[in-house]
């Protein structure tokens, strides 16, 4: 799963690397190749900073092979950087893509990732969104100790967990928001209800052709909702969507 902003950065980097290779192989002037390599290195650095990827080998090897392309192109020895191009295509770029995917997955609730992984890998993004909300509802039922056989779902289920008469206690106080006020608790309730009313209902009631980026946005919204929820009581049943 890729968040939209990082997806755009990754796409820009892949495009920049492709242009370097194409222009070098076409025998472009060294001044142009230098500018193309500089642009690719800048995009690489921006992406590495975004995902805190300083220690990820693929970023270093990508930069090194881009540098060798520029070096040997300046020398007029295109055969000498054929191996660098092969490494970029076969190892470096796939390594960068995997690093971004790992970063994105680590930013999501772990149970949510497991719940949607099959649909996402099959590029069935509509099913991935549906699976995400099925998992959210399963978590809500466990938190409120609600038997799935009751049929309680959607906004009614969210209200049972986060509404003013909820029996689940306050929201976590050690998360990224710190201590949560009464008004903020109401906001969390409204956020979860809004996600369910809009995306869960739309996906459940009609076919929606999500792109990867659109589905990614919705999945991250579900992950945010999950991070706002109280922890399940000790001894709760396992979460099984």
């Amino acid at each position: 799963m890729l968040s939209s902003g990082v997806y755009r950065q990754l796409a820009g980097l892949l495009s920049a690397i492709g242009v370097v290779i194409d222009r070098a192989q076409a025998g472009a002037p060294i001044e142009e190749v230098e500018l193309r390599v500089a642009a690719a290195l800048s995009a690489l650095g921006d992406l590495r900073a975004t995902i805190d990827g300083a220690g990820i080998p693929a970023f270093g090897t990508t930069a090194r092979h881009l540098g060798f392309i520029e070096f040997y192109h300046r020398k007029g020895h295109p055969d000498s950087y054929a191996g660098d191009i092969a490494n970029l295509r076969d190892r470096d770029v796939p390594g960068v893509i995997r690093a971004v995917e790992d970063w994105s997955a680590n930013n999501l609730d772990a149970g949510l990732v497991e719940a949607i992984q099959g649909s996402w890998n099959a590029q069935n993004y509509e099913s991935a969104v549906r699976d995400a909300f099925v998992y959210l509802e399963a978590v809500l039922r466990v938190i409120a100790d609600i038997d799935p056989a009751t049929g309680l779902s959607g906004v009614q289920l969210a209200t049972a967990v986060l509404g003013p008469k909820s029996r689940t206690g306050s929201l976590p106080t050690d998360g990224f928001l710190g201590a949560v006020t009464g008004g903020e608790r109401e906001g969390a309730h409204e956020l979860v209800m809004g996600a369910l009313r809009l995306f869960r209902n739309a996906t459940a009631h009609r076919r929606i052709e999500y792109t990867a980026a659109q589905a990614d946005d919705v999945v991250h919204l579900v992950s945010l909702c999950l991070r706002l929820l109280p922890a399940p009581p000790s001894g709760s049943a396992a979460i099984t969507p």
Side-chain angles (χ1 to χ4, degrees), residues 169-205:
S170 62
L171 295 175
T173 58
D174 58 351
F176 60 91
L177 292 178
V180 178
T181 68
E184 290 165 352
R185 178 186 172 85
E186 182 180 350
H189 179 205
E190 292 169 347
L191 176 63
V192 176
M193 286 200 306
L196 289 165
R197 278 178 172 156
L198 179 56
F199 294 109
R200 180 261 195 193
N201 286 349
T203 307
H205 296 146

Side-chain angles (χ1 to χ4, degrees), residues 131-166:
D131 293 342
F133 281 103
V134 169
Y135 179 75
L136 173 59
E137 291 189 321
V139 172
L140 289 167
R141 291 189 186 97
V142 168
I143 290 173
D145 193 23
I146 295 173
D147 187 340
T150 64
L152 193 63
S153 63
V155 296
Q156 291 178 320
L157 184 57
T159 299
V161 178
L162 299 171
K165 297 182 179 180
S166 168

Side-chain angles (χ1 to χ4, degrees), residues 5-217:
V6 174
Y7 178 84
R8 287 191 291 270
Q9 282 187 288
L10 178 61
L13 171 63
L14 299 184
S15 176
I17 290 174
V19 170
V20 168
I21 294 172
D22 289 346
R23 295 305 294 148
Q25 290 180 323
I30 183 56
E31 294 82 6
E32 179 186 346
V33 173
E34 288 175 344
L35 290 174
R36 301 292 189 183
V37 169
L41 290 174
S42 177
L44 181 70
D46 289 344
L47 181 60
R48 179 166 52 188
T50 297
I51 69 169
D52 193 21
I56 297 174
F59 284 91
T61 56
T62 298
R64 184 163 65 251
H65 289 130
L66 287 169
F68 280 132
I69 290 174
E70 179 183 327
F71 176 80
Y72 287 117
H73 191 73
R74 182 183 296 109
K75 297 276 188 184
H77 298 152
D79 292 343
S80 297
Y81 58 71
D84 298 292
I85 290 176
N87 278 316
L88 279 168
R89 287 174 168 163
D90 298 340
R91 298 180 183 177
D92 301 336
V93 165
V96 169
I97 292 172
R98 283 193 300 272
V100 172
E101 289 176 337
D102 290 344
W103 172 86
S104 183
N106 288 335
N107 281 340
L108 293 172
D109 177 270
L112 175 63
V113 171
E114 183 178 355
I116 71 172
Q117 195 76 56
S119 295
W120 191 275
N121 289 344
Q123 299 182 3
N124 189 339
Y125 301 119
E126 181 181 21
S127 289
V129 170
R130 185 179 298 108
D131 293 342
F133 281 103
V134 169
Y135 179 75
L136 173 59
E137 291 189 321
V139 172
L140 289 167
R141 291 189 186 97
V142 168
I143 290 173
D145 193 23
I146 295 173
D147 187 340
T150 64
L152 193 63
S153 63
V155 296
Q156 291 178 320
L157 184 57
T159 299
V161 178
L162 299 171
K165 297 182 179 180
S166 168
R167 297 172 296 170
T168 59
S170 62
L171 295 175
T173 58
D174 58 351
F176 60 91
L177 292 178
V180 178
T181 68
E184 290 165 352
R185 178 186 172 85
E186 182 180 350
H189 179 205
E190 292 169 347
L191 176 63
V192 176
M193 286 200 306
L196 289 165
R197 278 178 172 156
L198 179 56
F199 294 109
R200 180 261 195 193
N201 286 349
T203 307
H205 296 146
R206 62 182 182 272
R207 182 166 181 78
I208 299 177
E209 298 289 346
Y210 289 102
T211 65
Q214 291 165 345
D216 182 76
D217 282 342

